[in-house]
Amino acid sequence: MDNTIAFTGLTKSFGRLPVLRQVGTTIGSGQVVGLFGRNGAGKTTLMRILYGMIGPDAGQASLLGLDPQAHPVEVRQRVGLVSEECHLYPWMDANALETFLAPLYPKWDRELFRRHLASMEVPPDRRVDALSRGTKRKLMLSLALAAQPEVLLLDEPLGGLDAVVREQIVTTLIHSLTDHGVTIFLSTHEIEQFAKVCDRVIILSHGGFLVDRETAALTDQVRRVTATLEHPVEAVPAHPQILSARAHGTQVEFVLNGFTQETADAILANWKVREVAVSGLTLPEIFIAFTAGKEEVS
Amino acid sequence: MMSILYKEYLEHRLFFLLMVLTGLGSLVIARWARVLDNGTGIVLLFLLEAPILTYVVAHQAVFREFQQGTLPFLAGLPLGRSRVWLAKALFAGLFAAALYLAFALLGTAFGLTLEPIRFDRLDLFVFRNAMALCGIPVLVVAVGLFTTLLLPEGGALLAIVFTATTALVGYATHALAGMNLLLLEVLVVVALLATSWYTFVTGNLFSAWRLALRAVLVLAACVAAGTLLWVGIDTLAEGAVRLEIPEQLRGSVTEDGRRFFGQVSATAALWDTIPADSYQRAVEIDLATGRGRPVARRTTAAGMPTRDGRGLFAYDPWVWPGVAARQDLLFLDLADGGRERRVDREAVPHFLLPDDTLLYTRFSTPGGHSLSEICRWSPARGTHPLTAFPTREFRGPWPVRLFSAMLLVAREGKTPSRLLSLADGALLPIPLPPGATLAAETSRFAVFGIHRSGRLWNTSAGTTWFALDASGTRRDLPGLPPQAELRGTLPDGRLLVRTESAERVAMGRPRTTTLSTYRVEDGASQTLAVFQDVTVVTHLAPDGGYVVCELVAENRAWTWLDLAALPPAGSANDRESGHAAPLSGSTVTPAKDLVGNRPAGGDQAATESRLPSGGQPTGAGQPGNPDQPATHRQLAPGGQLVPGGQAAPEPATTPVTTPPATALFPAPVTGEPAPALSPTPIRLPGDGFRTVICRPGHQALFYGKVGAAGELWEADLRQGSTRRRWALTF
């Protein structure tokens, strides 16, 4: 698998505030990778660095084999970005936007743009400032997709969209894109929505990657262990693999990262256990387990 | 880039139409209010509206993207930032061009003519040349593209301050006087555009106070770098300056007569810091060899040399943007390699005293009071104030100040005169009526004149003459006509007087000009020569031995009068009674008037005149056709005046031992006393000679253009010979 997106040692600070610290990974062609993190974790900064809008303080990034800082034009012609920070010209309508943007993208497909507008129910002749927030987002998506990008960077793509369109985007659109080999790197708080389409999950916290695993492996390896003890306990002893834990009388519950039966047994060996249950976690639960109690600085 | 241009077009098309309508509306309103003349229309359209509107568009280039939140979207397009900036700059330029064109068409439709305007007091430099229609929009676009990066949080106020300062400096005439505005504008525009481009491309927009502060620092750095660059260009341009061969020498000759100090025009390179059209350069010319050299800094204009030629007082026009132009008075120590010493600021030199001390007036404001101080200055002792006068200060709003100044000017003539002692600065009252000015001095008298200018209800203009002796006793001089002009003092104390008739002929030349002498002691006058239909400029030799007359008609010729041939002062012959004293020597024909008319009285009016030794000049014919109107006088080389531009000498009608010197030799007009002297022509090659340097011993130097060369010719007046001495080289 080729490295469509690759970055290593990316570091970025704004003033004296570190935002990214030595992060790096590779993403193959056609993958859908979700970047999750709390507010202020540095997701948008990472997206902007990858798109070449800002430069890192250290480290290197590559999209489609191109350095976005050195070749911003070539990268942007082949990479689409839908960002919540981007605002379209309020006095333009979809038609004017298309006329404006089409010459900038060599693979711009006018028909595809029309189809996306129609499928997302975006009126082509209404000024942007007369559109709802969700419709603006749909228009931005349509514009990004009309350029037929090889990589799509989505920064909070579902913000302001109603449930129907969300579902439409997640299930239909993303599958359709990946079928065409488009690599998608998305950052979102809508973890549950994207859980089913993400091949990989990256959890960003305090400028570093806490998790960078295949989605299936992650859900396999992070398990909740619930045990009923003979005697009440006050706390669960610290363990490097325990992400979160809770003790309530004779009931203890902890989330284990890198679950194995041996590890769970080793932790429970301190008590007389009456009953043990191991259950899986949803992706949002895993995210919370990893990031709860870790305030981000913004 | 075309996409950005298209986007900008879409965004501004309505704005453009609105602006054109604004221009149209302002013209309609001005016409309706009946104030629409050419000047008002052009100022309205091209000085106010077009620059402001162009600035608005240029300023919106990035500022508006920031305001509507589209800057990240724009920055995320597959376009280099340089291209985005270039497209926006290009659009601002195109918008400005379209707007100016539209306004030009509007103006034409309203009958305006797009010609430069000169204002009496508000002489705006923007109208001095083509910069009015080209330079200003470019500058405005550059300023707008710079301030567009001063984004709201930190830079709105800064943008206003910067733009207002630029406009004030740009529109103030004197702030930029003496500078090559084209070069200055190019440098400023390049600096602004480069800063704008770099800031946009690097993405470090001035979007916070901290960054706005950086903008100020960037500006300061630009100003510092620009100053260094300016000085560098100034230094480099010195080598490219070409001193022009002057038409005439303007300046002074040292007392030993060996050197000439003056100023010549210089042609500066286009990229020079000094405007090419007003560049004067102080030079020294060696009168023995004709070799000239600049003697001072490049902006220094020549003043007066000391008598010994060891120093030169010169003016240095000192200008800098934002500061009014002023002239410093410098002393250039030529004995010390031209070392400059500043005599004073804002000083007005008067004259050199016999010991080479300069008498000058300076203006100062000690303690907020305006003072005019009369000072002496010498290289050894520096400034020595003699006396000071308070200068009127005007307070209040500018119309009041202006009115007060006008009143003061009107009252100036009524200020009583005082005599200033150069020894101790004491001011002595002297019985001078208001308006009297010193016109001449003899060993015993100071001659003053009170000039009356013609008014609407009284067109008689002239001068009332009187003299004061050392005791202050006043003596009226009724023998000096009101139209007289005192042209110098002869060694025996007689005044050289030039009197032009009130009657004027072509080109305002006087019908007759009489040169005469006048003695203050007894009022005796003697006519030396009478000229007709020419303007006569006299140049008295320093020893008083002769006077060179420059005759200007359609062209120019030179002649001279031998004052040494006059009888001594006080002799009975020089009493003017219409009869000049009979002089020994060759006799000449009765002089004829300039058109050949024989004077009334014929031979009876003939004057004996002692010709200069050598009998020169000879062979000059009489002017020809007496019927020829005297309105088109053409002076032939050598000084003959012939009618209609034709050299048509007429043989003398009376046999003479020595032919009349020239047709210019005038005859007395009917009823007038006969001239005592015969003007002798000076033969020079062509009529390009404009300068004479009179030297003692009947030697005169003439300078003029012969072809492209500036030549100096030496004339031995008594010998009647002239020879080329040198051609001027720099």
Side-chain angles (χ1 to χ4, degrees):
Chain A
M1 186 184 291
D2 61 330
N3 295 331
T4 305
I5 301 175
F7 49 94
T8 55
L10 282 186
T11 302
K12 181 70 183 176
S13 298
F14 291 113
R16 280 180 290 185
L17 178 69
V19 177
L20 293 177
R21 307 172 201 233
Q22 299 279 332
V23 295
T25 191
T26 57
I27 300 172
S29 174
Q31 276 196 319
V32 180
V33 178
L35 177 68
F36 305 140
R38 300 186 65 181
N39 290 328
K43 302 185 297 294
T44 301
T45 301
L46 178 58
M47 289 290 181
R48 292 177 70 190
I49 290 176
L50 293 179
Y51 199 61
M53 291 178 74
I54 56 174
D57 297 336
Q60 286 185 332
S62 154
L63 276 85
L64 302 164
L66 296 168
D67 181 347
Q69 283 297 311
H71 305 94
V73 175
E74 291 86 342
V75 167
R76 290 171 192 177
Q77 283 177 339
R78 298 167 64 187
V79 176
L81 172 71
V82 177
S83 167
E84 63 177 352
E85 278 194 344
C86 281
H87 297 277
L88 299 171
Y89 290 104
W91 46 271
M92 281 189 176
D93 58 20
N95 291 328
L97 276 166
E98 193 207 2
T99 312
F100 170 41
L101 294 175
L104 302 177
Y105 296 92
K107 290 164 72 179
W108 186 275
D109 188 334
R110 197 170 291 263
E111 196 52 44
L112 185 61
F113 178 65
R114 296 284 157 195
R115 279 210 307 272
H116 283 306
L117 285 183
S119 66
M120 289 193 250
E121 299 173 342
V122 178
D125 52 358
R126 189 177 296 175
R127 281 168 58 111
V128 169
D129 54 4
L131 299 177
S132 69
R133 191 175 165 205
T135 314
K136 282 182 200 168
R137 188 56 55 91
K138 287 189 277 186
L139 174 57
M140 286 179 70
L141 265 174
S142 305
L143 290 168
L145 296 174
Q148 303 192 71
E150 296 168 52
V151 174
L152 196 56
L153 302 176
L154 302 175
D155 187 12
E156 292 295 345
L158 302 184
L161 297 181
D162 59 61
V164 176
V165 179
R166 285 178 181 212
E167 190 60 25
Q168 185 185 359
I169 289 174
V170 172
T171 53
T172 313
L173 188 65
I174 290 186
H175 282 302
S176 161
L177 289 171
T178 49
D179 287 348
H180 286 84
V182 177
T183 306
I184 299 175
F185 188 36
L186 59 94
S187 80
T188 183
H189 295 298
E190 316 289 341
I191 302 170
E192 193 172 1
Q193 201 95 45
F194 281 101
K196 52 194 169 191
V197 293
C198 284
D199 300 319
R200 254 171 76 193
V201 167
I202 296 174
I203 297 177
L204 183 62
S205 177
H206 287 86
F209 286 173
L210 288 181
V211 173
D212 182 2
R213 268 178 254 173
E214 300 292 327
T215 309
L218 183 65
T219 49
D220 278 350
Q221 291 169 1
V222 179
R223 293 292 178 99
R224 179 184 293 120
V225 176
T226 309
T228 306
L229 308 178
E230 292 285 344
H231 306 288
V233 293
E234 291 186 353
V236 177
H239 189 279
Q241 286 181 264
I242 293 179
L243 296 176
S244 65
R246 191 174 59 176
H248 183 66
T250 56
Q251 289 282 329
V252 292
E253 183 181 294
F254 55 89
V255 175
L256 203 55
N257 181 20
F259 173 82
T260 59
Q261 193 59 50
E262 291 74 22
T263 312
D265 291 345
I267 295 169
L268 293 172
N270 298 315
W271 307 297
K272 286 189 176 177
V273 179
R274 190 185 299 168
E275 189 178 305
V276 177
V278 176
S279 58
L281 279 77
T282 62
L283 212 47
E285 288 173 327
I286 293 173
F287 172 74
I288 291 170
F290 270 98
T291 59
K294 295 173 181 173
E295 290 290 331
E296 301 288 351
V297 181
S298 57
Chain B
M1 202 159 81
M2 289 303 291
S3 289
I4 300 290
L5 284 174
Y6 170 71
K7 192 273 288 182
E8 295 287 330
Y9 160 72
L10 287 181
E11 194 168 9
H12 289 96
R13 55 186 173 176
L14 287 177
F15 182 73
F16 179 81
L17 285 177
L18 193 64
M19 295 307 100
V20 174
L21 287 176
T22 304
L24 178 65
S26 63
L27 288 177
V28 169
I29 291 171
R31 172 156 287 181
W32 174 75
R34 299 183 180 178
V35 294
L36 183 63
D37 57 14
N38 205 45
T40 308
I42 289 180
V43 167
L44 205 60
L45 290 180
F46 296 103
L47 194 60
L48 293 177
E49 292 178 7
I52 290 172
L53 300 177
T54 302
Y55 170 76
V56 168
V57 169
H59 177 70
Q60 293 283 311
V62 178
F63 189 87
R64 187 167 165 80
E65 303 281 357
F66 184 85
Q67 269 187 325
Q68 59 191 12
T70 49
L71 199 53
F73 175 73
L74 185 71
L77 295 177
L79 269 172
R81 281 177 172 248
S82 289
R83 285 198 164 199
V84 174
W85 182 89
L86 191 63
K88 284 181 168 288
L90 186 62
F91 178 79
L94 290 173
F95 184 94
L99 191 64
Y100 271 73
L101 183 62
F103 277 12
L105 293 174
L106 270 181
T108 308
F110 274 75
L112 304 182
T113 54
L114 299 174
E115 60 192 20
I117 304 171
R118 295 199 73 85
F119 297 86
D120 286 343
R121 293 194 174 275
L122 193 63
D123 183 15
L124 300 172
F125 80 87
V126 293
F127 288 122
R128 287 189 192 155
N129 50 38
M131 284 177 64
L133 290 179
C134 300
I136 293 302
V138 172
L139 183 64
V140 168
V141 166
V143 171
L145 287 174
F146 177 79
T147 58
T148 190
L149 302 173
L150 302 169
L151 299 177
E153 189 186 342
L157 182 65
L158 192 66
I160 293 169
V161 170
F162 178 80
T163 309
T165 308
T166 310
L168 277 177
V169 171
Y171 279 32
T173 305
H174 295 295
L176 303 173
M179 303 179 86
N180 184 342
L181 294 179
L182 191 61
L183 177 70
L184 183 67
E185 186 185 358
V186 167
L187 292 180
V188 169
V189 166
V190 167
L192 288 173
L193 292 182
T195 310
S196 173
W197 170 81
Y198 180 76
T199 307
F200 186 79
V201 166
T202 55
N204 297 317
L205 308 185
F206 306 128
S207 58
W209 277 112
R210 183 172 54 83
L211 296 172
L213 181 65
R214 192 168 71 182
V216 174
L217 294 177
V218 167
L219 267 183
C222 283
V223 169
T227 306
L228 284 175
L229 183 64
W230 190 266
V231 171
I233 291 173
D234 195 66
T235 308
L236 279 177
E238 171 69 1
V241 168
R242 191 168 53 81
L243 296 178
E244 291 176 4
I245 301 296
E247 295 281 336
Q248 54 186 316
L249 298 180
R250 296 178 191 273
S252 313
V253 182
T254 56
E255 205 165 62
D256 60 9
R258 291 181 181 171
R259 284 180 294 167
F260 173 88
F261 290 95
Q263 62 187 32
V264 297
S265 298
T267 305
L270 261 183
W271 48 274
D272 201 330
T273 57
I274 297 171
D277 56 348
S278 61
Y279 187 18
Q280 297 285 315
R281 195 69 193 273
V283 293
E284 174 190 357
I285 297 172
D286 186 337
L287 291 178
T289 62
R291 205 160 290 141
R293 68 178 183 91
V295 288
R297 266 190 288 164
R298 47 203 314 257
T299 56
T300 306
M304 59 182 96
T306 58
R307 286 180 164 75
D308 59 7
R310 294 170 63 86
L312 177 73
F313 291 99
Y315 312 108
D316 179 27
W318 190 90
V319 286
W320 196 247
V323 182
R326 66 182 188 199
Q327 287 200 325
D328 282 358
L329 183 58
L330 302 175
F331 176 74
L332 308 175
D333 192 345
L334 300 176
D336 190 10
R339 187 168 66 92
E340 281 182 18
R341 296 178 60 181
R342 189 165 68 191
V343 175
D344 227 319
R345 286 183 174 178
E346 297 284 346
V348 176
H350 297 308
F351 48 82
L352 277 176
L353 302 176
D355 62 349
D356 272 344
T357 298
L358 178 74
L359 196 73
Y360 71 97
T361 298
R362 72 177 173 191
F363 303 98
S364 56
T365 53
H369 299 284
S370 298
L371 275 185
S372 297
E373 287 184 279
I374 297 179
C375 307
R376 298 174 60 137
W377 189 92
S378 66
R381 287 183 290 181
T383 296
H384 174 62
L386 287 171
T387 187
F389 302 92
T391 307
R392 282 289 299 273
E393 286 179 86
F394 304 112
R395 297 179 188 278
W398 70 266
V400 176
R401 294 202 305 273
L402 181 65
F403 185 65
S404 306
M406 288 164 63
L407 280 182
L408 183 78
V409 169
R411 290 175 48 191
E412 258 181 358
K414 298 170 185 171
T415 309
S417 301
R418 285 179 170 77
L419 200 62
L420 174 67
S421 165
L422 295 179
D424 57 7
L427 288 171
L428 309 172
I430 53 173
L432 277 184
T437 53
L438 182 67
E441 293 169 274
T442 71
S443 56
R444 292 177 53 196
F445 294 98
V447 180
F448 295 88
I450 303 173
H451 186 70
R452 298 188 312 275
S453 40
R455 294 176 189 277
L456 282 176
W457 58 89
N458 176 15
T459 54
S460 65
T463 308
T464 305
W465 301 100
F466 66 94
L468 295 180
D469 63 13
S471 66
T473 306
R474 175 172 168 156
R475 176 192 298 239
D476 288 333
L477 306 174
L480 270 179
Q483 280 72 36
E485 212 181 309
L486 307 189
R487 302 293 299 169
T489 308
L490 304 188
D492 58 11
R494 282 182 291 180
L495 304 174
L496 180 63
V497 182
R498 183 183 69 179
T499 309
E500 291 180 347
S501 68
E503 186 187 357
R504 299 279 158 169
V505 289
M507 305 297 287
R509 294 193 296 270
R511 168 67 72 188
T512 59
T513 302
T514 306
L515 286 186
S516 58
T517 61
Y518 181 83
R519 197 165 55 212
V520 176
E521 284 83 348
D522 56 5
S525 65
Q526 182 178 23
T527 300
L528 301 179
V530 180
F531 301 86
Q532 289 196 343
D533 197 11
V534 288
T535 299
V536 182
V537 183
T538 59
H539 304 269
L540 184 61
D543 61 357
Y546 64 96
V547 61
V548 172
C549 302
E550 184 180 356
L551 309 180
V552 184
E554 301 299 326
N555 56 354
R556 187 182 306 261
W558 297 85
T559 185
W560 70 284
L561 297 169
D562 190 2
L563 299 177
L566 283 174
S571 69
N573 292 335
D574 69 339
R575 301 292 177 91
E576 188 62 80
S577 59
H579 302 283
L583 302 173
S584 62
S586 305
T587 57
V588 297
T589 183
K592 298 175 70 175
D593 68 22
L594 286 169
V595 291
N597 291 328
R598 191 161 280 250
D603 291 341
Q604 288 78 8
T607 303
E608 284 191 348
S609 175
R610 187 180 66 202
L611 282 179
S613 60
Q616 245 298 323
T618 61
Q622 297 285 358
N625 187 358
D627 299 327
Q628 181 72 28
T631 51
H632 299 287
R633 312 299 297 202
Q634 191 78 16
L635 297 169
Q640 297 120 316
L641 185 67
V642 294
Q646 298 294 318
E650 180 185 301
T653 53
T654 305
V656 291
T657 52
T658 302
T662 171
L664 286 169
F665 298 173
V669 180
T670 306
E672 294 293 322
L677 299 175
S678 296
T680 310
I682 301 164
R683 298 182 181 284
L684 294 167
D687 65 348
F689 288 83
R690 301 279 190 275
T691 308
V692 60
I693 300 170
C694 295
R695 312 173 90 174
H698 288 71
Q699 304 285 323
L701 300 175
F702 291 88
Y703 173 84
K705 288 289 278 287
V706 180
E711 294 193 353
L712 189 83
W713 282 64
E714 188 177 43
D716 186 327
L717 300 176
R718 285 201 161 132
Q719 293 291 332
S721 63
T722 53
R723 70 180 178 91
R724 180 178 177 276
R725 193 154 167 183
W726 46 250
L728 179 60
T729 55
F730 286 113

